[in-house]
Amino acid sequence: MNAFKKHSDKLLFILGIMISLTLLFPALVYDSLAYSGYEITFGKELVNINPFGLGSIASAHLKFSFLALLAFGLPLIAGVIALTNKKLALASLSLFVISTFLLMSLTTNIEVTYYIADNSNTTSIDWQMGYGLITAIILSLIAVFISINKM
């Protein structure tokens, strides 16, 4: 048990990196389409109908999501805090908990914005969790339990 507490800060740092790297895997799925974490975080053009090159008639976009950026970025910050400062263990635990809840809520917080003839609307999609998001949630829960046992 003493060896576990001795190396738990390094383990939390590695888990923080791994959670942030799940950004590269499919996070949200709709029907047969899968979108990776960086696409839902930084945005992506889904459809652009421009038949004659004269301008877009209709398009759909995933916009930049600050909540997704926090969900995938906070674990990295928490891991760095756990590695560098043992006195801020509670802050590291708090960041891991916050990121876990943000990761779990991504399916309801990500919306698609569509434009039809200069009219903009947003719509909610019934997203399913991809294996990248499920992996991030599991790793984040493991980090929370390690942080609790470290204290």
Side-chain angles (χ1 to χ4, degrees), residues 4 22-23 39-40 55 59-60 66 68 70 81 96 98 104 113 115 124:
F4 173 75
T22 59
L23 187 77
E39 291 173 334
I40 64 170
S59 63
F66 185 69
L70 285 176
I81 289 172
F96 277 123
I98 291 169
M104 288 181 189
T113 304
Y115 301 92
S124 296

Side-chain angles (χ1 to χ4, degrees), residues 26-28 72 103-104 106-107 129-138:
L28 296 179
F72 288 108
L103 287 167
M104 288 181 189
L106 278 183
T107 56
M129 289 186 188
Y131 68 86
L133 185 57
I134 293 170
T135 304
I137 291 170
I138 291 170

Side-chain angles (χ1 to χ4, degrees), residues 11-151:
L11 184 59
L12 287 172
F13 178 69
I14 291 170
L15 282 171
I17 290 173
M18 290 173 60
I19 294 166
S20 294
L21 286 178
T22 59
L23 187 77
L24 302 173
F25 299 122
L28 296 179
V29 177
Y30 180 71
D31 287 338
S32 63
L33 301 172
Y35 298 101
S36 62
Y38 69 87
E39 291 173 334
I40 64 170
T41 301
F42 300 111
K44 179 182 178 165
E45 182 177 66
L46 304 176
V47 166
N48 187 8
I49 300 172
N50 186 359
F52 303 111
L54 300 173
S56 179
I57 296 172
S59 63
H61 302 274
L62 284 170
K63 294 286 188 178
F64 172 77
S65 174
F66 185 69
L67 290 177
L69 182 65
L70 285 176
F72 288 108
L74 286 179
L76 184 61
I77 295 169
V80 169
I81 289 172
L83 186 64
T84 59
N85 195 343
K86 296 184 188 319
K87 292 180 181 178
L88 294 176
L90 184 60
S92 176
L93 171 64
S94 301
L95 291 178
F96 277 123
V97 169
I98 291 169
S99 70
T100 302
F101 284 115
L102 288 174
L103 287 167
M104 288 181 189
S105 70
L106 278 183
T107 56
T108 58
N109 289 330
I110 302 299
E111 295 181 336
V112 173
T113 304
Y114 61 93
Y115 301 92
I116 299 175
D118 290 338
N119 291 327
S120 172
N121 292 315
T122 59
T123 185
S124 296
I125 303 289
D126 187 24
W127 297 109
Q128 302 298 318
M129 289 186 188
Y131 68 86
L133 185 57
I134 293 170
T135 304
I137 291 170
I138 291 170
L139 290 174
S140 188
L141 287 172
I142 291 170
V144 167
F145 290 125
I146 290 173
S147 294
I148 289 171
N149 288 332
K150 179 183 172 186
M151 295 175 74

